[in-house]
Amino acid sequence: MRYKLGIIGAGKIGEAILAGSLAKGLLAPSDVILSVRTEQHRQNLEEKYHAATVLHNREVAKQSEIILISVKPRTIFEVLQEIADIIPDESVVVSTAAGVTLESMQTRLARKIALIRAMPNLGVSVCEGMTALAPARFTEEDKVEKVKQLFESVGRAIVLDEQYMDAVTGLSGSGPAYVYLIIEALADGGVKMGLPREVSIELAAQTVLGAAKTVLVTGEHPAKLKDQVTTPAGSTIDGLMELEDGGLRVTLIKAVVKATERAHQLLHK
Ligand SMILES: NC(=O)c1ccc[n+]([C@@H]2O[C@H](COP(=O)([O-])OP(=O)(O)OC[C@H]3O[C@@H](n4cnc5c(N)ncnc54)[C@H](OP(=O)(O)O)[C@@H]3O)[C@@H](O)[C@H]2O)c1
């Protein structure tokens, strides 16, 4: 039996990719094999998804075309060493481990195997993820395309050179946290002006969602869209002036810079 997808470490990210690819019809449960560490978790996944589930990573590696490893960064080298000799030559290994470089993974594999470093974000859990994929130089185009399709079943995916992965981590990897803070603060503003808390959160979150969607759907520069909703002498320009006065723009730029620098310091080699 040859599985199209094997997931080693079906935790938050691994399970989200499994759920998304099944829901979108990209894969059927019989196309997938999973491994986790604990028996209770294995049983839960088997009951929920009816896919093959095991506690043995080598079993997954031996039989899968795409081997998605989604364990914690501190565990990935151990897993790579465990499966290195059994990975089929024609398979592609994909790692979602934050800050783990292609070179360090290649060293542990000690073989020339197609390899991709992926940086998804929490949006994958609601099929609105943003994933950057950095393939190792010798990874064939068709394998990169297959892996891209897999991540597109849980949102958007782009292929980038590995040199950009720290910046990706600082922007879209950490980004959901920044936006949660913005939504919370907008909702606080609504509460301050008398709106009930739940109403405020719904208004703020849907506004962020709608604004993000107009950027992606129209392809317009955000500044142009901002101009379109800013009536001369209206209320929006007063709100914008407050944001500029508070330094929102520069604060967000600095947040991405700091998180990128930190991601670089945390590299696992
Ligand atoms: N969460 C995010 O927003 C995010 C974003 C970008 C990248 N990442 C990266 O994605 C990876 C996974 O993150 P996560 O948040 O999904 O972690 P998680 O929820 O903790 O999932 C990790 C999974 O790995 C399993 N596991 C642990 N040791 C294992 C082993 N030796 N063999 C097989 N499975 C093993 C665990 O199984 P048990 O449950 O049975 O212990 C667990 O299901 C991390 O490297 C992280 O850096 C995460």
Side-chain angles (χ1 to χ4, degrees):
M1 173 76 190
R2 201 72 208 281
Y3 294 95
K4 290 182 182 159
L5 173 67
I7 303 179
I8 296 180
K12 283 188 285 300
I13 295 289
E15 184 178 348
I17 292 164
L18 168 70
S21 59
L22 295 180
K24 292 273 165 75
L26 183 71
L27 298 172
S30 58
D31 296 325
V32 188
I33 182 167
L34 321 163
S35 64
V36 284
R37 204 168 35 109
T38 54
E39 174 57 19
Q40 187 59 54
H41 192 181
R42 190 201 67 73
Q43 276 179 30
N44 293 345
L45 289 167
E46 192 169 76
E47 278 165 28
K48 204 163 159 191
Y49 298 103
H50 310 289
T53 57
V54 293
L55 293 176
H56 308 288
N57 298 334
R58 285 174 68 80
E59 192 104 336
V60 175
K62 189 172 68 180
Q63 304 178 77
S64 307
E65 285 174 31
I66 298 175
I67 302 164
L68 175 72
I69 309 179
S70 200
V71 298
K72 292 288 187 200
R74 65 172 179 275
T75 315
I76 185 138
F77 294 145
E78 185 187 307
V79 169
L80 288 173
Q81 275 160 343
E82 183 187 348
I83 64 171
D85 65 318
I86 209 165
I87 300 169
D89 288 337
E90 62 283 6
S91 297
V92 53
V93 173
V94 185
S95 157
T96 66
V100 178
T101 63
L102 288 168
E103 192 187 359
S104 65
M105 289 189 276
Q106 271 159 358
T107 306
R108 267 59 175 207
L109 286 168
R111 279 175 62 194
K112 197 172 165 198
I113 291 168
L115 182 63
I116 298 178
R117 176 177 165 193
M119 186 64 208
N121 69 12
L122 199 58
V124 294
S125 61
V126 290
C127 290
E128 290 294 351
M130 183 68 242
T131 303
L133 300 170
R137 261 199 314 282
F138 48 80
T139 305
E140 300 91 329
E141 270 302 313
D142 60 320
K143 290 179 181 167
V144 175
E145 194 45 45
K146 266 191 188 164
V147 171
K148 187 163 176 270
Q149 273 176 17
L150 178 67
F151 281 92
E152 281 173 345
S153 70
V154 288
R156 288 177 178 251
I158 52 166
V159 178
L160 282 179
D161 192 274
E162 190 182 25
Q163 63 174 311
Y164 299 114
M165 289 308 255
D166 292 334
V168 167
T169 307
L171 202 176
S172 57
S174 304
Y178 312 156
V179 179
Y180 294 140
L181 203 76
I182 290 169
I183 291 172
E184 188 196 1
L186 289 172
D188 280 346
V191 169
K192 171 77 180 157
M193 299 320 290
L195 288 170
R197 171 65 62 185
E198 323 76 73
V199 173
S200 273
I201 291 175
E202 187 176 348
L203 293 178
Q206 179 63 25
T207 301
V208 169
L209 181 66
K213 210 160 178 176
T214 51
V215 172
L216 292 170
V217 171
T218 65
E220 293 286 6
H221 192 289
K224 191 168 172 197
L225 294 167
K226 182 261 295 169
D227 287 356
Q228 282 170 11
V229 296
T230 309
T231 313
S235 52
T236 306
I237 191 68
D238 279 12
L240 287 170
M241 265 179 66
E242 286 299 318
L243 294 179
E244 295 291 6
D245 193 41
L248 179 78
R249 204 186 279 259
V250 75
T251 306
L252 288 174
I253 294 169
K254 282 164 121 179
V256 176
V257 170
K258 277 280 175 200
T260 301
E261 287 169 0
R262 183 72 182 136
H264 189 71
Q265 284 169 2
L266 291 174
L267 278 186
H268 302 258
K269 290 182 179 164

